[in-house]
């Protein structure tokens, strides 16, 4: 009797961001009668990590940083002998692909790209050698997963990778759970306080998420709406700098940082709108969830995929550029047109629904995980400098 395919999901840690949440949802959703599911984290997990079902074997490698987990990751892969490894964050992708020669030969490697390559490289936040790493390592992946066609086209163009190696797979979204939370009565435990308007932003506190731009824009909003408040749900290394910026803008009482929130849609019921301020973004999970919930949305043009999504939605306002002033203009325009507590009942493609998205991932795992190991043939000749009959024959 054939054994189930063994799948190893790799993420830096549980809790903290969209990539980690997608991995946790995959671990939860992949069929346990078809797959033996393992999930490995390289660094210690963040507070409030997504709970996983008991059928998922979790391996905590406990390294202090991603590259320090290389030896432990190789040991784990050689012990588990997975049929498929799926890595879900670009800097972890580099490590996994560089280590691929040390993995068991039958192991296939899938990587999930979580940012638009051209935007990430142009941002100046990445080191000069990142393009070399992208070009050198990404062609070693059996498949590369993108969240939008625009992201896939960008990756193929930037890295000169064949388009048949790149797949567009939607992020899984829990439609029913999100909508139920969004239309519930606001909980007394939710930290909304004033009469509003109430702005909600969700994400890792890092430069690429543009929360400094959002604070700049929110200061302009407060000039017109004195009771406006902003909640930023997320954690990260930029929190101290953002707190200082709040102080310099005189926003201390109007902005609250909640830290990491496992279910940000519990905050939706009291929110007036959802704000996305990212400088670069592949396809934001928090944006998709807010869109499914019917929240009004104001966003920066963080990627072509996000622009395409928002242009198709009612109740969405897109900033003209990724600046604080442009975001302020879009926020003020939205607030001037919205009624109190207004929501938009949007029809969403079922491809984003949790079950449909998981099914697409399962199709990919079945495809690559059952491919036979190719035979390797070595042809040896004395030289290529002087071509004789034997060399020509080879």
């Amino acid at each position: 009797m054939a054994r189930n395919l063994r799948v190893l999901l790799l993420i830096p840690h549980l809790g903290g961001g969209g990539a980690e949440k997608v991995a946790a949802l995959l671990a939860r959703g992949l069929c346990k009668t078809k797959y033996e599911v393992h999930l490995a984290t390289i660094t210690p997990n963040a507070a409030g990590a997504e709970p996983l079902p008991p059928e998922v074997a979790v391996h905590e490698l406990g390294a202090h940083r991603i590259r320090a987990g290389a030896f432990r990751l190789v040991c784990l892969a050689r012990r588990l002998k997975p049929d498929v490894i799926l890595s879900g964050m670009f800097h972890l992708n580099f490590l996994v692909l560089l280590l691929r020669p040390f993995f068991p030969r039958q192991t296939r490697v899938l990587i999930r790209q979580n940012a638009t390559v051209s935007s990430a490289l142009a941002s100046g936040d990445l080191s000069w050698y990142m393009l070399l790493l992208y070009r050198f390592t990404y062609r070693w992946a059996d498949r590369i997963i993108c969240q939008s066609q625009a992201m896939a086209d960008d990756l193929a163009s930037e890295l000169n990778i064949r388009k048949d190696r790149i797949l567009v797979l939607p992020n899984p979204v829990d439609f029913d759970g999100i909508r139920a939370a969004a239309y519930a009565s606001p909980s007394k435990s939710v930290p909304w306080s004033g009469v509003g308007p109430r702005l909600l932003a969700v994400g890792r506190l890092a430069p690429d998420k543009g929360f400094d731009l959002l604070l700049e824009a929110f200061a302009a909003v407060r000039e017109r709406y004195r009771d406006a408040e902003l909640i930023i749900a997320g954690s990260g290394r930029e929190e101290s700098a953002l707190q200082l910026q709040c102080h310099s803008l005189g926003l201390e009482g109007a902005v609250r940082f909640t830290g990491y929130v496992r279910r940000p849609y519990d905050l939706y019921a009291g929110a007036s709108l959802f704000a996305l301020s990212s400088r670069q973004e592949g396809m934001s999970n928090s944006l998709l969830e807010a869109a499914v919930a019917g929240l009004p949305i104001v966003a920066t043009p963080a990627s072509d995929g996000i622009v395409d999504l928002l242009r198709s939605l009612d109740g969405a306002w897109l900033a003209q550029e990724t600046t604080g002033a442009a975001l302020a203009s879009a926020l003020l325009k939205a607030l001037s047109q919205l009624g109190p507590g207004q929501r938009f009942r949007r029809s969403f493609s079922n491809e984003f629904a949790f079950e449909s998205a998981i099914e697409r991932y399962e199709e990919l795992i079945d495809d690559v995980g059952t491919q036979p190991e190719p035979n390797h043939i070595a042809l040896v000749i004395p030289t290529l400098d002087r071509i004789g009959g034997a060399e020509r024959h080879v």
Side-chain angles (χ1 to χ4, degrees), residues 120-291:
L121 294 172
S123 68
D125 295 329
L126 301 180
S127 302
W128 62 269
Y129 54 81
M130 282 297 181
L131 180 58
L132 294 178
L133 274 175
Y134 269 120
R135 287 182 173 169
F136 180 64
T137 61
Y138 267 43
R139 59 191 67 249
W140 294 355
D142 289 285
R143 296 290 189 279
I144 303 169
I145 300 167
C146 294
Q147 287 84 65
S148 71
Q149 189 59 52
M151 185 195 296
D153 293 341
D154 177 84
L155 188 144
S157 173
E158 287 288 327
L159 306 186
N160 195 26
I161 292 176
R162 296 199 329 257
K163 290 190 176 182
D164 63 350
R165 305 289 297 280
I166 304 171
L167 280 84
V168 177
L169 297 184
N171 292 342
V173 179
D174 182 4
F175 282 18
D176 294 337
I178 291 168
R179 285 171 174 156
Y183 287 95
S185 299
S187 168
K188 293 181 180 179
S189 63
V190 173
W192 298 114
S193 58
V195 297
R198 299 162 170 176
L199 281 61
L200 173 65
V202 178
R204 182 169 37 88
L205 305 185
D208 57 310
K209 299 301 182 182
F211 289 124
D212 57 320
L213 303 179
L214 179 57
L215 292 177
E216 180 186 333
F218 183 63
V221 170
R222 287 271 294 180
E223 291 178 6
R224 185 175 301 178
Y225 298 92
R226 298 306 303 169
D227 293 320
E229 56 183 314
L230 168 64
I231 284 181
I232 298 178
S235 60
R237 66 182 186 274
E238 291 292 303
E239 182 168 353
S240 296
L242 294 171
Q243 295 274 15
L244 285 173
Q245 185 182 2
C246 280
H247 177 73
S248 67
L249 293 171
L251 298 175
E252 297 101 319
V255 178
R256 278 184 289 284
F257 295 86
T258 66
Y260 175 74
V261 176
R262 186 170 65 82
R263 284 168 43 102
Y265 34 91
D266 287 337
L267 300 169
Y268 289 174
S272 303
L273 62 79
F274 179 89
L276 181 86
S277 55
S278 296
R279 290 182 166 89
Q280 52 171 308
E281 191 79 59
M283 181 55 70
S284 165
N285 271 13
S286 59
L287 177 68
L288 283 172
E289 290 172 351

Side-chain angles (χ1 to χ4, degrees), residues 319-335:
Q320 293 299 306
E321 55 185 353
T322 308
T323 64
L327 184 57
S329 177
L331 286 168
L332 289 169
K333 182 177 181 180
L335 291 171

Side-chain angles (χ1 to χ4, degrees), residues 1 5 15-16 38 71 83 175 196 214 266 273 362:
M1 182 178 176
L5 285 177
H38 296 256
F71 179 72
D83 298 288
F175 282 18
L214 179 57
D266 287 337
L273 62 79
E362 290 184 350

Side-chain angles (χ1 to χ4, degrees), residues 91-105:
H91 52 306
L92 180 55
N93 295 345
F94 295 151
L95 178 66
V96 169
L97 293 170
L98 287 169
L99 294 176
R100 182 167 189 177
F102 303 100
F103 295 159
R105 281 184 57 189

